[in-house]
Amino acid sequence: MLPSMLPKSVLTQGVVLGITLMLGYALGVVWQWAWNFLELPTPRGTTWQTVVGASYLALGLVVSVNLWRHVGWQNSLRGEFGMSQIGPTIWGFTLPLALVVSGLILIVGRSLRKLFNLFVRWFDRHLPRRLALLLGGLVFLVFVWGAWSQVLVDGFFAGANQLSAPVDASTDEGITPPESTLRSGSPDSLVPWETLGRQGRNFVASGPTVDDLNAFHGGGAMESIRVYAGLKSGKTVQDRADLVLSELIRTGAFEREALVVATTTGTGFLDTHAMDALEFVTNGDVAIAGVQYSYLPSAISLLADVDEVRETAQVVFEHIHEYWSDLPDATRPDIYLYGLSLGSLGVESILTSIDIINEPIDGALLVGPPFVNDLRNQLILDRDPGSTPVMPVYEGGHTVRFMDESGLAQPMTEWGDTRVVYLQHASDPVVFFSPDLLLDQPEWLTGDNRGREIDDEFRWIPFVTVWQVLTDMAVANSVPEGFGHVYTRQAHVEAWAAILRPEGWAAAETAALQLHLTDWRDDR
């Protein structure tokens, strides 16, 4: 109930509170078991009863105060985020839900305890009591671990895939196969429409038209190229990479000014905000290539598909880069990388697997990088003195720079030929979660290092904060644009303009396009 990074819905808060109640109950059970196991005396008498009564009273007071304060800090944060306010009546829904969740957990816990006792009783018939407890406990742990890893975990991911595959096969309302030869899934495409997957179909069938681009630039727009391969488009990663390269060649992508190799999120999603902003900045003179590697949402892919995202990103990039390298320098496009969330991990796997000096890329945009991104984490650790972990400066910003919705941490001057941008929000738990929060206070919650979106009442507490930020990840995509894990077109405009450096482009064009996209979005 204490302040955290993001406001939570009634449903999320109820589930979180229910789980938290049972964590506290479990700690009490373990403490009591240890006390009895050590055969320590049980406290009794009037004094002890008074202590227990006072403890219950104090606990009730603390809970009541925090129930009330919870509404206050939630509304403070909701006001900052532009969300609707809530009232104390939410507890009429949240508390019953928490009790249901805690009750279900209690049933599971009691069932496991009965199973443990069953093993112990079997050994107890033949062995001394404490040896029976030890062996029974070991057998119980082996049994539970086997059931967890082989049945629950594998079964969960298998079930998640089974549930996600039909969603991937569906097509959103209003999405129809493109007629343009410059899109995958069109009549001339080497990739059949039905194999693209739901997110792939959304990608190739959307985006600004030439008229949309001309309305801002005043003319000269080109239709952008969008190519894509879904999981069903090829049996292997190499097959899908071959298809994408063939599509790039077929559509004339290597004759464009810019080529962007985009690593998708878990479901194959490419953020429309990023793609639309890219095409507006380039006036359509760009080709974008994406390849799906999973059916699972990124939150689950983060646990199951980390190897797949790295492999897909590297294989696809290397295949395209090999063809691109043989083209004349004067005519081939500039080559860029893009990745959102787990997709940014794929981009990092490329950046750390190539020699940027001898095998140059012109730039990369990594948005909402998750905590597993080792390169980003190292850049923050090695940042220049005086910069913060939220907006770090690394080696004067010669190659890599960080930004949020307010813009780049540094001015555009003194930036090298290869430009890498990390776009991240201070309020994005996907970015700032870390297992180290368990026992170590993070720098981003100290003094002037705090991000502008972080509530002043949010404080680090051992064991507590790691749970708060972990649960914040569940609502990271449920907040308005510009907060959490939801990034705006306006931020993408500034990032792409900084990376691509269009000829004659100035800060005034960036501001004008940011304003134009606000109106353009509302008109659609």
PDB file of all heavy atoms in Angstrom, residues 165-195:
ATOM      1  N   ALA A 165      -0.956 -18.519 -29.775  1.00  0.00           N
ATOM      2  CA  ALA A 165      -0.939 -18.836 -31.202  1.00  0.00           C
ATOM      3  C   ALA A 165      -2.240 -18.459 -31.903  1.00  0.00           C
ATOM      4  O   ALA A 165      -2.207 -17.856 -32.986  1.00  0.00           O
ATOM      5  CB  ALA A 165      -0.613 -20.312 -31.402  1.00  0.00           C
ATOM      6  N   PRO A 166      -3.434 -18.775 -31.327  1.00  0.00           N
ATOM      7  CA  PRO A 166      -4.675 -18.354 -31.992  1.00  0.00           C
ATOM      8  C   PRO A 166      -4.805 -16.836 -32.082  1.00  0.00           C
ATOM      9  O   PRO A 166      -5.349 -16.310 -33.062  1.00  0.00           O
ATOM     10  CB  PRO A 166      -5.773 -18.947 -31.091  1.00  0.00           C
ATOM     11  CG  PRO A 166      -5.125 -20.088 -30.390  1.00  0.00           C
ATOM     12  CD  PRO A 166      -3.708 -19.653 -30.175  1.00  0.00           C
ATOM     13  N   VAL A 167      -4.317 -16.120 -31.068  1.00  0.00           N
ATOM     14  CA  VAL A 167      -4.340 -14.653 -31.113  1.00  0.00           C
ATOM     15  C   VAL A 167      -3.466 -14.162 -32.252  1.00  0.00           C
ATOM     16  O   VAL A 167      -3.826 -13.243 -32.992  1.00  0.00           O
ATOM     17  CB  VAL A 167      -3.865 -14.059 -29.770  1.00  0.00           C
ATOM     18  CG1 VAL A 167      -3.789 -12.539 -29.847  1.00  0.00           C
ATOM     19  CG2 VAL A 167      -4.788 -14.493 -28.647  1.00  0.00           C
ATOM     20  N   ASP A 168      -2.309 -14.812 -32.414  1.00  0.00           N
ATOM     21  CA  ASP A 168      -1.397 -14.450 -33.493  1.00  0.00           C
ATOM     22  C   ASP A 168      -2.027 -14.713 -34.858  1.00  0.00           C
ATOM     23  O   ASP A 168      -1.742 -14.005 -35.829  1.00  0.00           O
ATOM     24  CB  ASP A 168      -0.094 -15.247 -33.360  1.00  0.00           C
ATOM     25  CG  ASP A 168       0.949 -14.838 -34.367  1.00  0.00           C
ATOM     26  OD1 ASP A 168       1.479 -13.722 -34.247  1.00  0.00           O
ATOM     27  OD2 ASP A 168       1.223 -15.630 -35.299  1.00  0.00           O
ATOM     28  N   ALA A 169      -2.882 -15.721 -34.943  1.00  0.00           N
ATOM     29  CA  ALA A 169      -3.525 -16.062 -36.215  1.00  0.00           C
ATOM     30  C   ALA A 169      -4.669 -15.124 -36.556  1.00  0.00           C
ATOM     31  O   ALA A 169      -5.124 -15.089 -37.707  1.00  0.00           O
ATOM     32  CB  ALA A 169      -4.027 -17.500 -36.179  1.00  0.00           C
ATOM     33  N   SER A 170      -5.144 -14.357 -35.570  1.00  0.00           N
ATOM     34  CA  SER A 170      -6.266 -13.455 -35.799  1.00  0.00           C
ATOM     35  C   SER A 170      -5.798 -12.180 -36.504  1.00  0.00           C
ATOM     36  O   SER A 170      -4.600 -11.886 -36.560  1.00  0.00           O
ATOM     37  CB  SER A 170      -6.941 -13.101 -34.476  1.00  0.00           C
ATOM     38  OG  SER A 170      -6.060 -12.351 -33.651  1.00  0.00           O
ATOM     39  N   THR A 171      -6.760 -11.431 -37.016  1.00  0.00           N
ATOM     40  CA  THR A 171      -6.472 -10.157 -37.678  1.00  0.00           C
ATOM     41  C   THR A 171      -7.350  -9.083 -37.072  1.00  0.00           C
ATOM     42  O   THR A 171      -8.567  -9.268 -36.935  1.00  0.00           O
ATOM     43  CB  THR A 171      -6.745 -10.246 -39.191  1.00  0.00           C
ATOM     44  OG1 THR A 171      -5.947 -11.298 -39.747  1.00  0.00           O
ATOM     45  CG2 THR A 171      -6.393  -8.942 -39.886  1.00  0.00           C
ATOM     46  N   ASP A 172      -6.765  -7.981 -36.685  1.00  0.00           N
ATOM     47  CA  ASP A 172      -7.516  -6.903 -36.058  1.00  0.00           C
ATOM     48  C   ASP A 172      -8.518  -6.302 -37.032  1.00  0.00           C
ATOM     49  O   ASP A 172      -8.310  -6.301 -38.253  1.00  0.00           O
ATOM     50  CB  ASP A 172      -6.565  -5.814 -35.556  1.00  0.00           C
ATOM     51  CG  ASP A 172      -5.760  -6.258 -34.355  1.00  0.00           C
ATOM     52  OD1 ASP A 172      -6.061  -7.328 -33.797  1.00  0.00           O
ATOM     53  OD2 ASP A 172      -4.816  -5.535 -33.977  1.00  0.00           O
ATOM     54  N   GLU A 173      -9.579  -5.779 -36.464  1.00  0.00           N
ATOM     55  CA  GLU A 173     -10.626  -5.164 -37.284  1.00  0.00           C
ATOM     56  C   GLU A 173     -10.061  -3.988 -38.086  1.00  0.00           C
ATOM     57  O   GLU A 173      -9.310  -3.168 -37.568  1.00  0.00           O
ATOM     58  CB  GLU A 173     -11.761  -4.672 -36.375  1.00  0.00           C
ATOM     59  CG  GLU A 173     -12.956  -4.142 -37.131  1.00  0.00           C
ATOM     60  CD  GLU A 173     -14.081  -3.718 -36.205  1.00  0.00           C
ATOM     61  OE1 GLU A 173     -13.973  -3.968 -34.982  1.00  0.00           O
ATOM     62  OE2 GLU A 173     -15.064  -3.141 -36.701  1.00  0.00           O
ATOM     63  N   GLY A 174     -10.434  -3.944 -39.346  1.00  0.00           N
ATOM     64  CA  GLY A 174      -9.995  -2.858 -40.216  1.00  0.00           C
ATOM     65  C   GLY A 174      -8.657  -3.096 -40.900  1.00  0.00           C
ATOM     66  O   GLY A 174      -8.230  -2.279 -41.728  1.00  0.00           O
ATOM     67  N   ILE A 175      -7.976  -4.177 -40.557  1.00  0.00           N
ATOM     68  CA  ILE A 175      -6.669  -4.490 -41.161  1.00  0.00           C
ATOM     69  C   ILE A 175      -6.896  -5.404 -42.367  1.00  0.00           C
ATOM     70  O   ILE A 175      -7.443  -6.501 -42.240  1.00  0.00           O
ATOM     71  CB  ILE A 175      -5.736  -5.167 -40.151  1.00  0.00           C
ATOM     72  CG1 ILE A 175      -5.458  -4.236 -38.975  1.00  0.00           C
ATOM     73  CG2 ILE A 175      -4.436  -5.604 -40.815  1.00  0.00           C
ATOM     74  CD1 ILE A 175      -4.729  -2.957 -39.344  1.00  0.00           C
ATOM     75  N   THR A 176      -6.484  -4.948 -43.533  1.00  0.00           N
ATOM     76  CA  THR A 176      -6.660  -5.706 -44.776  1.00  0.00           C
ATOM     77  C   THR A 176      -5.321  -5.832 -45.494  1.00  0.00           C
ATOM     78  O   THR A 176      -4.418  -5.006 -45.286  1.00  0.00           O
ATOM     79  CB  THR A 176      -7.664  -5.012 -45.701  1.00  0.00           C
ATOM     80  OG1 THR A 176      -7.213  -3.670 -45.972  1.00  0.00           O
ATOM     81  CG2 THR A 176      -9.047  -4.958 -45.056  1.00  0.00           C
ATOM     82  N   PRO A 177      -5.162  -6.845 -46.351  1.00  0.00           N
ATOM     83  CA  PRO A 177      -3.892  -7.023 -47.061  1.00  0.00           C
ATOM     84  C   PRO A 177      -3.540  -5.799 -47.906  1.00  0.00           C
ATOM     85  O   PRO A 177      -4.405  -5.223 -48.566  1.00  0.00           O
ATOM     86  CB  PRO A 177      -4.164  -8.239 -47.962  1.00  0.00           C
ATOM     87  CG  PRO A 177      -5.269  -8.972 -47.288  1.00  0.00           C
ATOM     88  CD  PRO A 177      -6.120  -7.923 -46.652  1.00  0.00           C
ATOM     89  N   PRO A 178      -2.281  -5.371 -47.858  1.00  0.00           N
ATOM     90  CA  PRO A 178      -1.883  -4.204 -48.652  1.00  0.00           C
ATOM     91  C   PRO A 178      -1.855  -4.525 -50.145  1.00  0.00           C
ATOM     92  O   PRO A 178      -1.566  -5.658 -50.535  1.00  0.00           O
ATOM     93  CB  PRO A 178      -0.473  -3.894 -48.130  1.00  0.00           C
ATOM     94  CG  PRO A 178       0.031  -5.202 -47.612  1.00  0.00           C
ATOM     95  CD  PRO A 178      -1.161  -5.930 -47.081  1.00  0.00           C
ATOM     96  N   GLU A 179      -2.155  -3.537 -50.953  1.00  0.00           N
ATOM     97  CA  GLU A 179      -2.077  -3.692 -52.404  1.00  0.00           C
ATOM     98  C   GLU A 179      -0.714  -3.250 -52.935  1.00  0.00           C
ATOM     99  O   GLU A 179      -0.306  -3.641 -54.019  1.00  0.00           O
ATOM    100  CB  GLU A 179      -3.185  -2.871 -53.083  1.00  0.00           C
ATOM    101  CG  GLU A 179      -4.601  -3.350 -52.766  1.00  0.00           C
ATOM    102  CD  GLU A 179      -4.854  -4.749 -53.299  1.00  0.00           C
ATOM    103  OE1 GLU A 179      -4.299  -5.099 -54.364  1.00  0.00           O
ATOM    104  OE2 GLU A 179      -5.604  -5.505 -52.640  1.00  0.00           O
ATOM    105  N   SER A 180      -0.008  -2.433 -52.167  1.00  0.00           N
ATOM    106  CA  SER A 180       1.270  -1.888 -52.616  1.00  0.00           C
ATOM    107  C   SER A 180       2.324  -2.975 -52.752  1.00  0.00           C
ATOM    108  O   SER A 180       2.451  -3.854 -51.885  1.00  0.00           O
ATOM    109  CB  SER A 180       1.752  -0.824 -51.624  1.00  0.00           C
ATOM    110  OG  SER A 180       3.075  -0.430 -51.923  1.00  0.00           O
ATOM    111  N   THR A 181       3.097  -2.914 -53.820  1.00  0.00           N
ATOM    112  CA  THR A 181       4.193  -3.867 -54.024  1.00  0.00           C
ATOM    113  C   THR A 181       5.319  -3.648 -53.012  1.00  0.00           C
ATOM    114  O   THR A 181       6.209  -4.496 -52.893  1.00  0.00           O
ATOM    115  CB  THR A 181       4.774  -3.717 -55.435  1.00  0.00           C
ATOM    116  OG1 THR A 181       5.291  -2.378 -55.596  1.00  0.00           O
ATOM    117  CG2 THR A 181       3.707  -3.978 -56.496  1.00  0.00           C
ATOM    118  N   LEU A 182       5.276  -2.520 -52.281  1.00  0.00           N
ATOM    119  CA  LEU A 182       6.341  -2.188 -51.329  1.00  0.00           C
ATOM    120  C   LEU A 182       6.085  -2.758 -49.941  1.00  0.00           C
ATOM    121  O   LEU A 182       6.824  -2.455 -49.003  1.00  0.00           O
ATOM    122  CB  LEU A 182       6.496  -0.661 -51.232  1.00  0.00           C
ATOM    123  CG  LEU A 182       6.814   0.059 -52.548  1.00  0.00           C
ATOM    124  CD1 LEU A 182       6.957   1.558 -52.317  1.00  0.00           C
ATOM    125  CD2 LEU A 182       8.068  -0.503 -53.186  1.00  0.00           C
ATOM    126  N   ARG A 183       5.054  -3.600 -49.815  1.00  0.00           N
ATOM    127  CA  ARG A 183       4.713  -4.167 -48.517  1.00  0.00           C
ATOM    128  C   ARG A 183       4.694  -5.693 -48.590  1.00  0.00           C
ATOM    129  O   ARG A 183       4.215  -6.270 -49.578  1.00  0.00           O
ATOM    130  CB  ARG A 183       3.346  -3.663 -48.035  1.00  0.00           C
ATOM    131  CG  ARG A 183       3.237  -2.137 -47.912  1.00  0.00           C
ATOM    132  CD  ARG A 183       4.131  -1.617 -46.804  1.00  0.00           C
ATOM    133  NE  ARG A 183       4.206  -0.175 -46.751  1.00  0.00           N
ATOM    134  CZ  ARG A 183       3.535   0.579 -45.881  1.00  0.00           C
ATOM    135  NH1 ARG A 183       2.713   0.005 -45.017  1.00  0.00           N
ATOM    136  NH2 ARG A 183       3.692   1.882 -45.871  1.00  0.00           N
ATOM    137  N   SER A 184       5.198  -6.335 -47.534  1.00  0.00           N
ATOM    138  CA  SER A 184       5.041  -7.788 -47.416  1.00  0.00           C
ATOM    139  C   SER A 184       3.556  -8.100 -47.242  1.00  0.00           C
ATOM    140  O   SER A 184       2.803  -7.308 -46.665  1.00  0.00           O
ATOM    141  CB  SER A 184       5.827  -8.321 -46.221  1.00  0.00           C
ATOM    142  OG  SER A 184       7.219  -8.187 -46.432  1.00  0.00           O
ATOM    143  N   GLY A 185       3.153  -9.268 -47.730  1.00  0.00           N
ATOM    144  CA  GLY A 185       1.747  -9.642 -47.639  1.00  0.00           C
ATOM    145  C   GLY A 185       0.907  -9.159 -48.792  1.00  0.00           C
ATOM    146  O   GLY A 185      -0.281  -9.498 -48.889  1.00  0.00           O
ATOM    147  N   SER A 186       1.495  -8.366 -49.707  1.00  0.00           N
ATOM    148  CA  SER A 186       0.776  -7.888 -50.892  1.00  0.00           C
ATOM    149  C   SER A 186       0.750  -8.985 -51.958  1.00  0.00           C
ATOM    150  O   SER A 186       1.437 -10.002 -51.828  1.00  0.00           O
ATOM    151  CB  SER A 186       1.468  -6.641 -51.445  1.00  0.00           C
ATOM    152  OG  SER A 186       2.758  -6.974 -51.938  1.00  0.00           O
ATOM    153  N   PRO A 187      -0.036  -8.819 -53.018  1.00  0.00           N
ATOM    154  CA  PRO A 187      -0.088  -9.845 -54.074  1.00  0.00           C
ATOM    155  C   PRO A 187       1.270 -10.177 -54.673  1.00  0.00           C
ATOM    156  O   PRO A 187       1.507 -11.308 -55.105  1.00  0.00           O
ATOM    157  CB  PRO A 187      -1.024  -9.219 -55.115  1.00  0.00           C
ATOM    158  CG  PRO A 187      -1.911  -8.305 -54.316  1.00  0.00           C
ATOM    159  CD  PRO A 187      -1.030  -7.751 -53.245  1.00  0.00           C
ATOM    160  N   ASP A 188       2.195  -9.196 -54.704  1.00  0.00           N
ATOM    161  CA  ASP A 188       3.519  -9.425 -55.295  1.00  0.00           C
ATOM    162  C   ASP A 188       4.547  -9.918 -54.274  1.00  0.00           C
ATOM    163  O   ASP A 188       5.690 -10.210 -54.641  1.00  0.00           O
ATOM    164  CB  ASP A 188       4.043  -8.128 -55.928  1.00  0.00           C
ATOM    165  CG  ASP A 188       3.188  -7.661 -57.085  1.00  0.00           C
ATOM    166  OD1 ASP A 188       2.715  -8.530 -57.852  1.00  0.00           O
ATOM    167  OD2 ASP A 188       2.968  -6.441 -57.211  1.00  0.00           O
ATOM    168  N   SER A 189       4.157 -10.014 -53.031  1.00  0.00           N
ATOM    169  CA  SER A 189       5.110 -10.338 -51.963  1.00  0.00           C
ATOM    170  C   SER A 189       5.488 -11.813 -51.981  1.00  0.00           C
ATOM    171  O   SER A 189       4.702 -12.683 -52.354  1.00  0.00           O
ATOM    172  CB  SER A 189       4.510  -9.967 -50.607  1.00  0.00           C
ATOM    173  OG  SER A 189       5.345 -10.399 -49.549  1.00  0.00           O
ATOM    174  N   LEU A 190       6.712 -12.078 -51.521  1.00  0.00           N
ATOM    175  CA  LEU A 190       7.187 -13.449 -51.354  1.00  0.00           C
ATOM    176  C   LEU A 190       6.711 -14.046 -50.033  1.00  0.00           C
ATOM    177  O   LEU A 190       6.880 -15.239 -49.802  1.00  0.00           O
ATOM    178  CB  LEU A 190       8.717 -13.467 -51.390  1.00  0.00           C
ATOM    179  CG  LEU A 190       9.371 -12.892 -52.655  1.00  0.00           C
ATOM    180  CD1 LEU A 190      10.888 -12.805 -52.464  1.00  0.00           C
ATOM    181  CD2 LEU A 190       9.022 -13.720 -53.868  1.00  0.00           C
ATOM    182  N   VAL A 191       6.129 -13.210 -49.180  1.00  0.00           N
ATOM    183  CA  VAL A 191       5.649 -13.647 -47.868  1.00  0.00           C
ATOM    184  C   VAL A 191       4.128 -13.603 -47.874  1.00  0.00           C
ATOM    185  O   VAL A 191       3.540 -12.527 -47.947  1.00  0.00           O
ATOM    186  CB  VAL A 191       6.196 -12.754 -46.743  1.00  0.00           C
ATOM    187  CG1 VAL A 191       5.767 -13.302 -45.389  1.00  0.00           C
ATOM    188  CG2 VAL A 191       7.710 -12.640 -46.819  1.00  0.00           C
ATOM    189  N   PRO A 192       3.456 -14.754 -47.780  1.00  0.00           N
ATOM    190  CA  PRO A 192       1.987 -14.767 -47.781  1.00  0.00           C
ATOM    191  C   PRO A 192       1.406 -13.994 -46.598  1.00  0.00           C
ATOM    192  O   PRO A 192       1.931 -14.049 -45.485  1.00  0.00           O
ATOM    193  CB  PRO A 192       1.636 -16.262 -47.701  1.00  0.00           C
ATOM    194  CG  PRO A 192       2.860 -16.969 -48.175  1.00  0.00           C
ATOM    195  CD  PRO A 192       4.011 -16.113 -47.746  1.00  0.00           C
ATOM    196  N   TRP A 193       0.331 -13.293 -46.840  1.00  0.00           N
ATOM    197  CA  TRP A 193      -0.354 -12.488 -45.832  1.00  0.00           C
ATOM    198  C   TRP A 193      -0.685 -13.295 -44.576  1.00  0.00           C
ATOM    199  O   TRP A 193      -0.477 -12.851 -43.457  1.00  0.00           O
ATOM    200  CB  TRP A 193      -1.618 -11.899 -46.449  1.00  0.00           C
ATOM    201  CG  TRP A 193      -2.597 -11.260 -45.512  1.00  0.00           C
ATOM    202  CD1 TRP A 193      -3.773 -11.783 -45.066  1.00  0.00           C
ATOM    203  CD2 TRP A 193      -2.495  -9.957 -44.918  1.00  0.00           C
ATOM    204  NE1 TRP A 193      -4.413 -10.900 -44.235  1.00  0.00           N
ATOM    205  CE2 TRP A 193      -3.655  -9.763 -44.124  1.00  0.00           C
ATOM    206  CE3 TRP A 193      -1.542  -8.937 -44.970  1.00  0.00           C
ATOM    207  CZ2 TRP A 193      -3.892  -8.602 -43.404  1.00  0.00           C
ATOM    208  CZ3 TRP A 193      -1.780  -7.781 -44.249  1.00  0.00           C
ATOM    209  CH2 TRP A 193      -2.932  -7.623 -43.474  1.00  0.00           C
ATOM    210  N   GLU A 194      -1.200 -14.522 -44.771  1.00  0.00           N
ATOM    211  CA  GLU A 194      -1.668 -15.319 -43.643  1.00  0.00           C
ATOM    212  C   GLU A 194      -0.529 -15.806 -42.745  1.00  0.00           C
ATOM    213  O   GLU A 194      -0.767 -16.270 -41.630  1.00  0.00           O
ATOM    214  CB  GLU A 194      -2.500 -16.513 -44.123  1.00  0.00           C
ATOM    215  CG  GLU A 194      -1.767 -17.465 -45.045  1.00  0.00           C
ATOM    216  CD  GLU A 194      -1.857 -17.060 -46.512  1.00  0.00           C
ATOM    217  OE1 GLU A 194      -2.308 -15.911 -46.792  1.00  0.00           O
ATOM    218  OE2 GLU A 194      -1.475 -17.880 -47.367  1.00  0.00           O
ATOM    219  N   THR A 195       0.736 -15.720 -43.197  1.00  0.00           N
ATOM    220  CA  THR A 195       1.864 -16.191 -42.389  1.00  0.00           C
ATOM    221  C   THR A 195       2.501 -15.074 -41.561  1.00  0.00           C
ATOM    222  O   THR A 195       3.406 -15.343 -40.768  1.00  0.00           O
ATOM    223  CB  THR A 195       2.962 -16.804 -43.284  1.00  0.00           C
ATOM    224  OG1 THR A 195       3.605 -15.761 -44.043  1.00  0.00           O
ATOM    225  CG2 THR A 195       2.381 -17.852 -44.217  1.00  0.00           C
TER     226      THR A 195
END
